[in-house]
Amino acid sequence: MEIDLKHYKLYVKRKLDRLKPIFARAALGDYSRNLKIPDQEDEFLDLFVGIQIMLEVIRDQLQELRSVNEGLERLNRRKSEFISIISHELRTPLNAVQEGIHIVLDGLDGPVTQAQSETLGIARENVDRLSRMLHNVLTFTKSEVGLLRTSSRKTEMTGLLASLFELMKPAVLKKGLDFSFACPKGPVWASCDPDKIQQAVINLIDNALKFTEKGKIQLRLFVSKDRISLSVSDAGIGIPKKDQKKILRLFSRGESVLASKMGGSGIGLAVCKEIMDHHQGKILIQSRPRRGSRFTLSWPRQAR
Ligand code: ADP
C-alpha cells in the first residue's frame, strides 16, 4: 500500500510537471504551445484534453481580438486623417480672412474709423483664436497618427521668447493684467523646434490669460548646463491637486472650469505635452487653488 502511494505520487508529479511549461508561458501571455495529450486513459486524460481545448479557444479569441483591434486602429487613423484634412483646408480661407482684417486695420485700404477699428479688432482676436485652435487640432491629430515632425535646430531662446512676449502683450494688457518677461543676460542657445515651442508657450499664455482675472502673468526663461526651462506663471484660479494629474490628457478639463461652464476644448495642454515628448522634455505643474499656477516646460539643451 505504501509503495503504491509512493508510485502514485511520482506518477502525479510527472503528469503535473508536463503542465508547468504550458502555464509558465500562459502567465506571460503566450498560449502558442500545445499540450501533448497522453495515450493512457486515466484520470488525467480529461484534464489534459480540457486544458488543450482551453488553449485553442484562447488562441482563437486572441486572434479575433487582434483583428478587431486592427480594424479600430484603421478607423481611428482614418478619423485622424479626416480631421487633419479638414483643419488644413479650414486654415487656408482663415488665413485669407486674417490677412484681410490686418490690411484693413493697418489702414492700407484707406482710413478706418474708431468704431470700425474696434469691431475689426474683436474680429481679429477671434479669428486669431480660431487659427490657433485649428493649429492645435492639426498638431494633435498628426501626432496621433505618427505624422508629427519636429525639426530641431540651434535656436536663440531669448529672442524667440521676447518676440512671443511682444506678440501676446496686447491681449494681456487689454485684460488689465501685468505681463513680464525675465531671462538671463545675453543669448541663450538651445536645440528645439522653434515653431513648436512657440505654439506650446502661446497655449500656456492663452490659458494664463483665460484663467486669471487680476494680477500678473510672468514669462521666464532659465538655463542650467544641460537643460533649458521656461515657465508661464499666473495669479489665476489655480488647479486642485487631483486635476493637475489629468489635465495634460486630451479633452481633459478641470472640474471647477467645467462647473463654471467656461469655454475651452481640453486640447491646448495635450498639444504642449506632445511637443515636449518630441523634445524629450517634460511639463511641471505647480499650482494652488485661488493662488495661481506655474507651468514649466523643460528639455535637454542638446535634444535631437
Ligand atoms: P482648455 O483651456 O481649452 O480647457 P487646456 O488643455 O489648455 O484646455 O487646459 C486643460 C484644463 O487645464 C483647463 O480646462 C483648466 O481646467 C486647466 N488649466 C490649464 N491652464 C490653467 C491655468 N493657467 N490656470 C488654471 N487652470 C488651468
Side-chain angles (χ1 to χ4, degrees):
M1 181 69 188
E2 207 178 294
I3 289 171
D4 275 349
L5 189 63
K6 212 167 150 190
H7 271 115
Y8 187 69
K9 271 186 178 169
L10 256 177
Y11 176 72
V12 170
K13 184 179 176 313
R14 267 205 304 273
K15 289 277 183 188
L16 293 180
D17 278 351
R18 286 174 59 185
L19 294 177
K20 273 188 191 162
I22 301 282
F23 284 118
R25 278 168 181 250
L28 299 172
D30 175 4
Y31 302 93
S32 61
R33 204 150 136 181
N34 283 323
L35 182 60
K36 197 163 172 287
I37 306 295
D39 297 331
Q40 304 115 291
E41 280 205 23
D42 58 11
E43 51 272 65
F44 284 97
L45 186 60
D46 283 351
L47 176 70
F48 274 50
V49 170
I51 291 174
Q52 175 58 25
I53 291 174
M54 192 178 79
L55 287 171
E56 283 165 20
V57 169
I58 292 176
R59 275 203 298 258
D60 285 352
Q61 287 182 345
L62 275 179
Q63 185 54 38
E64 209 174 308
L65 212 61
R66 244 174 244 133
S67 63
V68 170
N69 253 346
E70 278 165 16
L72 285 175
E73 262 166 36
R74 264 199 307 277
L75 208 66
N76 194 32
R77 211 183 155 79
R78 290 196 61 189
K79 178 218 70 188
S80 299
E81 281 164 4
F82 171 73
I83 297 175
S84 167
I85 290 168
I86 295 287
S87 325
H88 203 266
E89 289 302 306
L90 283 173
R91 282 191 85 190
T92 317
L94 198 67
N95 284 344
V97 175
Q98 238 172 343
E99 191 85 338
I101 294 176
H102 280 265
I103 288 174
V104 178
L105 266 178
D106 291 346
L108 299 177
D109 276 350
V112 188
T113 66
Q114 181 67 21
Q116 285 168 336
S117 164
E118 277 166 21
T119 311
L120 281 176
I122 296 170
R124 178 171 60 184
E125 268 170 34
N126 284 284
V127 170
D128 287 353
R129 198 145 57 92
L130 190 58
S131 164
R132 291 208 280 268
M133 215 146 73
L134 281 176
H135 193 191
N136 279 336
V137 171
L138 204 55
T139 304
F140 197 87
T141 42
K142 271 189 184 164
S143 173
E144 246 191 336
V145 291
L147 289 177
L148 183 66
R149 303 273 171 264
T150 37
S151 53
S152 276
R153 55 176 183 270
K154 218 173 148 200
T155 305
E156 205 287 293
M157 298 304 299
T158 316
L160 180 79
L161 290 189
S163 49
L164 254 179
F165 176 69
E166 291 305 324
L167 180 79
M168 301 302 285
K169 206 171 176 176
V172 179
L173 298 185
K174 191 175 166 208
K175 200 174 171 183
L177 303 170
D178 288 333
F179 196 24
S180 69
F181 170 44
C183 61
K185 278 207 179 79
V188 172
W189 292 93
S191 175
C192 72
D193 180 328
D195 292 341
K196 300 277 181 310
I197 293 296
Q198 180 160 327
Q199 185 181 4
V201 178
I202 288 178
N203 285 348
L204 295 182
I205 298 177
D206 262 347
N207 277 345
L209 194 53
K210 185 158 66 177
F211 298 114
T212 307
E213 286 314 316
K214 60 175 197 279
K216 194 170 185 176
I217 295 178
Q218 290 170 288
L219 175 63
R220 281 204 204 101
L221 171 69
F222 35 101
V223 277
S224 67
K225 198 164 140 275
D226 309 319
R227 288 189 85 77
I228 183 110
S229 306
L230 51 91
S231 71
V232 174
S233 0
D234 62 55
I237 61 171
I239 309 160
K241 266 267 171 314
K242 68 172 179 350
D243 282 348
Q244 290 178 29
K245 292 196 181 87
K246 61 172 197 181
I247 53 175
L248 296 182
R249 292 203 294 262
L250 185 65
F251 302 139
S252 184
R253 309 187 59 219
E255 266 165 34
S256 54
V257 169
L258 282 173
S260 69
K261 302 216 166 33
M262 216 180 259
S265 56
I267 294 181
L269 289 181
V271 165
C272 290
K273 171 143 188 350
E274 290 297 317
I275 291 173
M276 274 302 100
D277 286 350
H278 275 74
H279 285 79
Q280 297 96 48
K282 51 186 186 222
I283 303 179
L284 174 72
I285 304 173
Q286 294 161 293
S287 182
R288 280 170 64 194
R290 293 181 299 280
R291 301 293 286 273
S293 311
R294 178 189 294 151
F295 287 79
T296 306
L297 309 181
S298 85
W299 69 96
R301 282 179 87 165
Q302 297 302 330
R304 265 178 295 128

